[in-house]
Amino acid sequence: MRRRKAPDDIPIGFQIAPMIDVVFVIMLFFMVMAGDVKVEHLLKTTLPGKTESFNAENIPDEQSITIQDNGQVQLNEEDMDSPTNPAMPNLTAQMMRLKQNSEASKSLMIVTVTAKEKARYARVIDVMNALSRAHITNVTFGVASED
């Protein structure tokens, strides 16, 4: 059996027919895709930047009162009165100042009262009486964390 050898003397030139086919396919692709291009200003998008707010959001001013197990009352983690004083003059005065500040800035004031697990109920009543003397009406109760 004889093997045929590839002749080395056949000139291999530049093949133009496959190149034209590729160009026509690419041109067809771009012609079809040109119909789907959307003009940027027709898209309803907003870019990040400065925006003017038409509705002013009223963020409430929240104060936190914690009643410890020993009866110590803290306003925003700051000790207020002695654990044995049921009148709580310091807490009442501080709450009156905070109420006046919130009214001056026209913001809502919310007070969250959190009592520890072994705090006495009488101490919670003392805190509620102090808030009543300060004319605080927005009071919520929280659950003590297990710290």
Side-chain angles (χ1 to χ4, degrees):
M1 186 175 204
R2 277 172 77 192
R3 289 189 180 175
R4 288 177 77 181
K5 290 186 178 181
D8 293 334
D9 57 346
I10 298 175
I12 298 178
F14 182 70
Q15 302 290 322
I16 193 81
M19 195 63 140
I20 291 174
D21 290 343
V22 169
V23 169
F24 279 133
V25 169
I26 292 174
M27 188 172 67
L28 181 65
F29 172 77
F30 283 114
M31 287 173 57
V32 169
M33 292 308 292
D36 288 341
V37 173
K38 294 183 181 180
V39 181
E40 185 176 338
H41 67 82
L42 296 178
L43 299 174
K44 296 185 191 265
T45 58
T46 56
L47 297 175
K50 291 184 179 180
T51 60
E52 293 183 19
S53 177
F54 295 107
N55 303 8
E57 292 189 25
N58 209 1
I59 299 173
D61 184 22
E62 185 171 359
Q63 305 299 324
S64 175
I65 296 177
T66 306
I67 304 170
Q68 299 295 333
D69 291 333
N70 63 357
Q72 182 64 47
V73 176
Q74 297 175 331
L75 174 63
N76 298 329
E77 299 179 2
E78 182 180 325
D79 292 342
M80 282 289 112
D81 292 298
S82 69
T84 58
N85 188 358
M88 305 183 115
N90 292 340
L91 179 66
T92 304
Q94 186 69 20
M95 294 310 295
M96 284 182 177
R97 276 193 294 266
L98 291 171
K99 173 81 172 176
Q100 289 173 351
N101 289 343
S102 69
E103 287 176 351
S105 65
K106 297 180 182 175
S107 64
L108 180 65
M109 182 173 161
I110 298 174
V111 177
T112 302
V113 178
T114 305
K116 297 291 182 173
E117 186 176 338
K118 295 183 182 179
R120 298 185 61 205
Y121 294 121
R123 198 60 175 163
V124 177
I125 299 294
D126 293 341
V127 170
M128 294 300 295
N129 288 337
L131 293 175
S132 176
R133 286 190 295 274
H135 304 290
I136 306 291
T137 56
N138 294 323
V139 180
T140 61
F141 291 93
V143 178
S145 62
E146 297 179 17
D147 292 340

